[in-house]
Amino acid sequence: MGKLKNDNAILYLIVYKDIMDKIFNGTKTIEYREITDYWKKRIVDKPYDLIRITNGYGNDTRPYIVMEYKGYEEIEYNGKPHFAIPIERDLWCEWRDEIGGEIKQC
């Protein structure tokens, strides 16, 4: 994965298993986060290099994906403003697709 520019260069996102399954099978290529004060503090004007999406909270054996961060768009989604963050497979750097599974890299 290479050396990060700083310790805060990764945007961490937690998702449910059904969402993670859609990301892994390629049917979900955008991650949406409602524009709230919580997400504004974590996304707006932050110099992220990478995103780490993890299926749930817990130990280091959980499924995850680390990918390049390409920014976001502000859009209307389900009647509310959201950050739309691209998560296409061509951005992936490293992943584990099952609990305790092998770590794969590009």
Side-chain angles (χ1 to χ4, degrees):
M1 269 187 349
K3 183 133 173 80
L4 301 178
K5 294 176 188 167
N6 63 61
D7 291 339
N8 298 318
I10 301 175
L11 171 60
Y12 291 91
L13 302 175
I14 306 298
V15 298
Y16 292 111
K17 183 182 184 325
D18 62 326
I19 299 298
M20 197 70 162
D21 290 344
K22 291 177 182 178
I23 296 169
F24 277 124
N25 73 28
T27 59
K28 181 172 177 61
T29 59
I30 302 286
E31 177 60 20
Y32 299 98
R33 297 292 159 136
E34 188 173 344
I35 296 177
T36 61
D37 288 343
Y38 178 89
W39 286 109
K40 283 181 191 175
K41 283 191 279 188
R42 284 155 182 77
I43 294 176
V44 176
D45 296 327
K46 299 291 181 179
Y48 294 117
D49 297 320
L50 301 169
I51 302 171
R52 181 181 170 113
I53 298 177
T54 304
N55 172 212
Y57 295 94
N59 62 32
D60 290 337
T61 68
R62 308 239 13 120
Y64 72 90
I65 305 166
V66 176
M67 65 187 76
E68 287 182 66
Y69 178 66
K70 294 294 187 182
Y72 62 88
E73 287 185 58
E74 293 185 19
I75 65 158
E76 190 81 10
Y77 180 71
N78 288 336
K80 296 182 179 177
H82 279 71
F83 295 110
I85 304 165
I87 56 170
E88 297 96 3
R89 190 169 192 103
D90 64 340
L91 299 174
W92 297 13
C93 305
E94 178 182 288
W95 66 95
R96 177 179 26 239
D97 54 10
E98 61 185 11
I99 292 177
E102 176 185 347
I103 295 173
K104 301 168 186 166
Q105 296 182 333
C106 300

